[in-house]
Amino acid sequence: MIRLTDVAKEYPRSGVALAQVSFEVKKGEFVYLTGPSGSGKTTILKLLYMDDKPSQGEVWINGVSSKTASGREISRLRRRIGIVFQDFRLLEDRTAEANIRFVLEVTGAPKATIRSKVARVLTQVGLASKATSFPRELSGGEQQRVAIARALINDPFVLIADEPTGNLDERATRGVFQLLRDINASGTAVIMATHDLDLVRRSNYRTIELNHGRVVFDSSESPASARPFDEPFEVRDTPSDSTERF
Amino acid sequence: MRSAREALMASRRAPLLSALGVVTIAFSLFAFGLFGLVAINIRKALDQVEERVEVRAFVSDSTDIESVAAAMKDIGDFPEVARVDYVSQEKALERARKEMGEFADVFEAGVLPASIEVHLRPGMRSPAIVKSVADRMKTYQFIDDVRYGEEWVDKLYRMRTIATVAGIALGVAFAAVAVIIIGATIRMTVLARAKEISIMRLVGATDMFIRLPFLIDGLVKGVLGGLLALVFVWVANRVVNEYFIETIFFDRQMIFFGVVGGAMMGVLGSLVSVGRHLRRI
């Protein structure tokens, strides 16, 4: 379903962000991407939703290749991918419901289905009663749930989450994480970048660890005990791979 | 339809920004419109002066009227010539007395010669053409002298050339300023909605889908700005007419092209601003 083959990514200013990255993600799998800041997690996620192209190698996702994908193909692919960010990226001037509806509107969904779909995902994330609230009226955890609902509205085959619990307190983190597990249990693959080693340790999902833009550990290829997770990540001072411009 | 609704919604969400956009476009087009108004009025004034360019051929006293009539018919057939008039000695005297009222008594019958007065077509009043007509008229034997105010025609022609060149240069400069200001105004709208655009892209909206509401927004702002600028220019024209000098206003065709030009600038500004933004993210 998702395959990265010898992927490298170089940025003109910050240099090498990824080198020789290869892995596969199967349908319905839950994968953690871990590693220190600047290790290449966000870059991999951006390559997955084709916000960027690899400098070398190839990314295959749901039959679309990074080498040949046209703009229209990328748009169509993104309608089948759910994306969640640490900073939620909700539109402040719209209610929770309108933020979710927006996705269906921009993809040209028929009006009749929009209302029922929005109600369904809001219930799924436990926010049916907050449909008319604006983001500023919601807690961080609730805002992230709205963002997850927005990501789920098109029934994605994969949910890509970039540090989704990074801005949340422990209680909200647990809630959001449980929600991601439920989503995964219903058949959607989840690829989640996180620093939160406690979270990683507490669950038995596959873990891919990155350092200096390389895969240094993949639990699917090694015994579960090979990476003890109690060593802190090495933090390096090189520029961050995060080239977000939002 | 959806794009139009989206454009309207965006204006409703940020009414102040939209109003500012329209007013900025209106003012930049107002400056351009004022320049246009000055240009057409200068042109009209020059046209009026140019209409007075005429070639006058003085006829010998003894010439018979048939020869003059035949020559007038010949001259009237020149492609450059619009009208040929005969000014008899009596008429010349009458005209002179009228024009120089104080010295009316000085002129006596027979002092002034009869003449053939030739008016040239518009666009046929350059020094070279006037001279060539004058030279051809000199070839008639009964013509004593031909005059057309050589120096004056030269000066007028030079003034016209300067006015045209300055007009084009200033017009291009004003239009460029208007385009830049309109582009910047629309860019502000695009930047104000940058987050929305980025989310639209991430959830799979096509570039065209993102672009269209902005194009409609630019079109509407361009038309509204154009109409507002027209009102400003009209008011300015009325004020000048009332308190200073009589001026002409744009004709319907010019108004139509002005408003269409505003709309085009709006669309073009949007296209460039959104295009740049989409390439960047």
Side-chain angles (χ1 to χ4, degrees):
Chain A
M1 187 186 69
I2 295 172
R3 193 173 70 234
L4 282 81
T5 316
D6 285 329
V7 168
K9 180 70 195 173
E10 260 181 67
Y11 291 106
R13 279 187 217 162
S14 50
V16 177
L18 291 176
Q20 291 178 316
V21 172
S22 299
F23 64 83
E24 270 185 54
V25 177
K26 295 190 185 75
K27 199 176 168 192
E29 205 173 358
F30 195 120
V31 180
Y32 286 122
L33 277 181
T34 64
S37 296
S39 59
K41 303 186 295 289
T42 299
T43 305
I44 287 189
L45 299 186
K46 287 176 94 169
L47 294 179
L48 291 180
Y49 57 83
M50 299 209 173
D51 195 36
D52 222 334
K53 293 201 169 183
S55 313
Q56 277 173 45
E58 188 175 20
V59 177
W60 270 94
I61 177 158
N62 209 33
V64 179
S65 161
S66 60
K67 284 187 173 166
T68 56
S70 64
R72 190 162 284 273
E73 272 177 324
I74 292 172
S75 296
R76 226 175 286 146
L77 173 71
R78 286 181 185 163
R79 294 176 195 187
R80 301 279 293 119
I81 297 176
I83 310 170
V84 178
F85 298 96
Q86 182 174 358
D87 57 358
F88 324 131
R89 294 193 195 170
L90 298 175
L91 297 169
E92 300 297 325
D93 58 351
R94 295 175 208 206
T95 62
E97 189 186 16
N99 263 287
I100 300 165
R101 202 173 55 221
F102 176 71
V103 177
L104 293 174
E105 285 169 352
V106 302
T107 48
K111 240 182 180 175
T113 62
I114 292 180
R115 193 184 291 265
S116 62
K117 270 191 154 185
V118 172
R120 177 176 60 78
V121 289
L122 272 171
T123 307
Q124 192 179 348
V125 300
L127 282 181
S129 61
K130 306 270 182 162
T132 54
S133 301
F134 285 91
R136 62 177 178 278
E137 297 164 346
L138 300 171
S139 69
E142 287 170 335
Q143 288 189 53
Q144 193 58 294
R145 282 168 184 270
V146 175
I148 292 172
R150 183 179 65 189
L152 289 179
I153 193 84
N154 274 327
D155 301 317
F157 66 90
V158 61
L159 188 76
I160 293 171
D162 193 0
E163 303 276 3
T165 58
N167 277 354
L168 305 181
D169 60 28
E170 206 185 327
R171 194 188 155 101
T173 297
R174 277 204 304 273
V176 165
F177 182 60
Q178 187 54 46
L179 183 59
L180 293 178
R181 288 170 76 130
D182 293 344
I183 290 163
N184 179 245
S186 66
T188 305
V190 175
I191 300 175
M192 175 174 163
T194 183
H195 281 95
D196 192 340
L197 286 185
D198 282 341
L199 204 66
V200 175
R201 237 182 264 128
R202 265 187 267 129
S203 49
N204 255 341
Y205 295 127
R206 177 182 172 193
T207 305
I208 296 172
E209 191 187 329
L210 294 159
N211 206 346
H212 297 282
R214 290 171 190 270
V215 175
V216 292
F217 173 75
D218 185 342
S219 64
S220 69
E221 292 166 4
S222 321
S225 59
R227 177 71 169 89
F229 290 122
D230 39 29
E231 295 164 18
F233 288 130
E234 176 203 339
V235 179
R236 61 176 192 167
D237 287 322
T238 47
S240 163
D241 65 335
S242 174
T243 51
E244 302 295 348
R245 298 185 197 96
F246 299 110
Chain B
M1 188 59 203
R2 187 212 66 88
S3 304
R5 204 174 52 237
E6 191 64 35
L8 186 71
M9 290 291 285
S11 300
R12 271 200 199 156
R13 273 189 211 110
L16 208 66
L17 187 65
S18 298
L20 191 71
V22 172
V23 172
T24 311
I25 292 173
F27 272 109
S28 58
L29 289 177
F30 172 54
F32 185 59
L34 270 189
F35 160 75
L37 203 61
V38 171
I40 62 165
N41 276 286
I42 289 178
R43 192 178 179 83
K44 194 197 161 213
L46 281 173
D47 281 348
Q48 278 172 346
V49 176
E50 254 191 27
E51 270 169 31
R52 292 170 59 185
V53 170
E54 58 188 27
V55 183
R56 181 168 298 202
F58 296 98
V59 179
S60 308
D61 288 348
S62 54
T63 314
D64 60 281
I65 195 74
E66 286 80 15
S67 308
V68 174
M72 278 174 68
K73 195 181 172 307
D74 274 1
I75 295 165
D77 288 341
F78 290 178
E80 302 92 339
V81 172
R83 205 176 82 229
V84 185
D85 294 325
Y86 179 66
V87 182
S88 63
Q89 283 182 314
E90 294 74 27
K91 206 169 164 192
L93 181 67
E94 189 186 318
R95 207 190 262 179
R97 279 182 170 159
K98 202 170 158 192
E99 282 175 10
M100 301 182 176
E102 279 181 62
F103 307 101
D105 299 341
V106 178
F107 298 106
E108 284 175 27
V111 170
L112 298 172
S115 61
I116 297 171
E117 218 174 65
V118 173
H119 298 271
L120 298 170
R121 288 182 197 279
M124 298 282 183
R125 291 158 183 160
S126 70
I129 293 174
V130 178
K131 186 172 185 302
S132 119
V133 171
D135 286 347
R136 270 177 279 159
M137 286 169 72
K138 273 183 197 158
T139 57
Y140 294 96
Q141 277 186 339
F142 55 85
I143 299 288
D144 282 344
D145 193 10
V146 177
R147 287 190 192 165
Y148 60 91
E150 196 173 350
E151 255 181 53
W152 183 74
V153 170
D154 268 351
K155 255 185 207 163
L156 183 68
Y157 191 72
R158 223 176 305 139
M159 235 162 75
R160 194 185 176 90
T161 310
I162 291 169
T164 307
V165 171
I168 291 171
L170 280 174
V172 168
F174 270 102
V177 168
V179 167
I180 290 167
I181 291 175
I182 290 170
T185 307
I186 291 168
R187 182 137 185 78
M188 263 181 3
T189 318
V190 173
L191 289 177
R193 294 180 60 198
K195 190 174 177 187
E196 195 178 330
I197 293 174
S198 72
I199 296 171
M200 281 169 115
R201 290 197 101 187
L202 287 178
V203 298
T206 57
D207 283 357
M208 195 56 212
F209 187 92
I210 296 169
R211 222 176 253 143
L212 212 57
F214 283 100
L215 295 191
I216 292 173
D217 185 53
L219 178 80
V220 172
K221 278 182 183 159
V223 170
L224 289 180
L227 289 174
L228 200 59
L230 189 67
V231 172
F232 291 162
V233 177
W234 183 80
V235 170
N237 188 52
R238 293 296 311 152
V239 170
V240 170
N241 259 304
E242 191 76 25
Y243 299 104
F244 303 102
I245 50 165
E246 198 179 310
T247 53
I248 53 164
F249 194 61
F250 300 121
D251 59 30
R252 277 185 189 186
Q253 205 183 9
M254 287 176 185
I255 290 173
F256 174 76
F257 281 118
V259 175
V260 168
M264 296 282 285
M265 282 185 190
V267 171
L268 210 70
S270 288
L271 207 66
V272 172
S273 297
V274 185
R276 271 178 56 188
H277 188 75
L278 287 177
R279 267 196 305 277
R280 208 167 58 84
I281 61 172

